């Protein structure tokens, strides 16, 4: 059995786990580097990655094809299971995901694994991402990783989700957090989706605010204070969304890491997010800084 790991893992701690003399005890490392609207990140992985890490594509492995359900809808069980097995993930694996954006994007992989049935303490995000690993002086390689195929069975439903109607209701009756950048929330700039603005009643909580000036995640107490201020000290129901259901997973992770929500009561995620909401001409849109 593995000792439980925190949902955020320092590079030095990941290095210790990867140095375990028993290969079966080493975590599976998923490289989920991704750029919104930019060139594919696979060449970055091929040029340099954490030894043993396997590239997993945000668009094609961690989501079904885009459509009315959003730009990153939930992947089918078959799609996600195949991707995880290719990466060598077993039912009893520890799994650590990283990106090159301090972990905000890798939170999507963390959330999906939890949704797929992985227990708390078995999945983590690398704090500081690939940059943090490199800055710590830890080794990288261009050697392709060839893990033995995994045997993981995806069991969906491990994390709560919201649809558009439920998100709208939560924005009225509780607290719905919008994890996008402030200018997108206010409707001043919308680079991807059909309409600019936010779900009426939602409050802006940029996912990048989970980070300190050093690019590492804020300590749990600071995260709890930030979330408590946004959600009125954490009373009542709280949900999260973003542009396509990727970065809002960072708010779910932050709430658990901070103890703001327990693993038994995670923050629900509106997976379709703004890409689903704005595609429906009947859905109302709010603009400006106020909910």
């Amino acid at each position: 059995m593995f000792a439980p790991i925190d949902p955020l893992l320092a590079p030095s701690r990941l290095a210790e786990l990867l140095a375990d003399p028993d290969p079966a005890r080493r975590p599976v490392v998923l490289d989920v580097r991704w750029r919104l609207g930019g060139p594919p990140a696979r060449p970055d992985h091929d040029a340099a990655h954490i030894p043993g890490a396997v590239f997993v594509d945000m668009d094609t492995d961690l989501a079904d094809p885009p459509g009315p359900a959003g730009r990153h809808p939930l992947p089918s069980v078959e799609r996600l299971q195949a991707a995880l097995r290719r990466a060598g993930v077993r039912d009893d694996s520890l799994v650590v995901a990283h990106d090159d954006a301090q972990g905000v994007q890798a939170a999507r992989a963390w959330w999906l694994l939890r949704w797929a049935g992985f227990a708390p303490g078995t999945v983590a995000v690398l704090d500081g991402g690939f940059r943090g690993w490199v800055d710590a002086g830890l080794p990288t390689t261009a050697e392709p990783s060839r893990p033995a195929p995994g045997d993981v069975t995806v069991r969906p439903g491990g994390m709560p989700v919201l649809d558009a109607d439920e998100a709208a209701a939560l924005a009225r009756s509780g607290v719905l957090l919008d994890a996008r950048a402030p200018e997108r929330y206010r409707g001043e700039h919308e680079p991807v989706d059909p309409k600019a603005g936010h779900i009426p009643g939602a409050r802006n909580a940029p996912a990048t605010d989970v980070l300190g000036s050093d690019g590492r995640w804020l300590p749990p107490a600071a995260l709890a204070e930030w979330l408590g201020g946004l959600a009125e000290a954490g009373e009542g129901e709280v949900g999260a969304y973003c542009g396509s259901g990727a970065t809002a997973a960072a708010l779910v992770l932050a709430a658990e890491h901070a103890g703001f929500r327990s693993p038994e009561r995670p923050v629900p995620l509106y997976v379709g997010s703004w890409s689903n909401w704005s595609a429906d001409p009947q859905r109302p849109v709010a603009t400006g800084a106020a909910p």
Side-chain angles (χ1 to χ4, degrees):
M1 290 292 293
F2 300 105
I5 54 176
D6 291 332
L8 282 168
L9 212 60
S12 58
R13 178 58 179 148
L14 176 58
E16 291 174 1
L17 293 170
L18 290 173
D20 194 301
D22 182 355
R25 294 177 57 85
R26 297 171 193 162
V28 176
V29 180
L30 304 181
D31 181 344
V32 293
R33 282 180 271 187
W34 173 75
R35 300 182 187 88
L36 173 63
R42 179 60 189 255
D44 293 343
H45 170 88
D46 292 342
H49 54 265
I50 296 172
V54 178
F55 185 78
V56 178
D57 192 279
M58 178 81 78
D59 295 319
T60 60
D61 293 327
L62 302 183
D64 267 358
R71 282 185 283 111
H72 287 119
L74 281 172
S76 68
V77 168
E78 295 77 15
R79 179 185 296 270
L80 181 59
Q81 184 167 284
L84 295 177
R85 288 184 176 185
R86 284 196 304 270
V89 178
R90 307 177 307 276
D91 281 322
D92 62 350
S93 291
L94 290 178
V95 185
V96 180
H98 79 81
D99 51 34
D100 58 0
Q102 297 85 39
V104 170
Q105 294 164 353
R108 166 76 174 207
W110 170 87
W111 185 91
L112 271 176
L113 283 159
R114 292 285 301 280
W115 173 81
F118 276 73
T122 64
V123 188
V125 165
L126 179 62
D127 191 2
F130 185 69
R131 298 175 203 170
W133 178 271
V134 172
D135 289 346
L138 294 165
T140 64
T141 183
E143 185 70 22
S145 301
R146 296 183 176 88
D151 63 1
V152 65
T153 298
V154 169
R155 300 175 176 87
M159 295 290 267
V161 298
L162 301 171
D163 62 20
D165 289 339
E166 290 166 336
L170 185 56
R172 295 189 299 268
S173 65
V175 177
L176 182 65
L177 301 177
D178 183 324
R180 295 174 300 158
E183 60 272 16
R184 291 185 70 190
Y185 171 84
R186 295 191 297 262
E188 298 166 0
H189 176 62
E190 181 46 64
V192 186
D193 292 315
K195 291 183 285 189
H198 60 266
I199 296 173
R203 306 180 190 185
N204 195 204
T208 51
D209 283 3
V210 304
L211 304 173
S213 59
D214 60 354
R216 303 291 289 271
W217 286 58
L218 294 170
L223 288 171
E225 182 179 4
W226 176 67
L227 288 165
L230 289 164
E232 297 176 349
E235 297 300 324
E237 292 300 316
V238 180
Y241 79 99
C242 57
S244 66
T247 57
L251 301 187
V252 183
L253 189 158
E256 182 172 311
H257 182 57
F260 182 78
R261 285 290 185 269
S262 69
E264 295 74 32
R265 189 194 171 200
V267 169
L269 177 66
Y270 174 22
V271 180
S273 285
W274 188 249
S275 60
N276 169 245
W277 183 278
S278 62
D280 184 345
Q282 303 303 314
R283 296 283 177 190
V285 172
T287 57

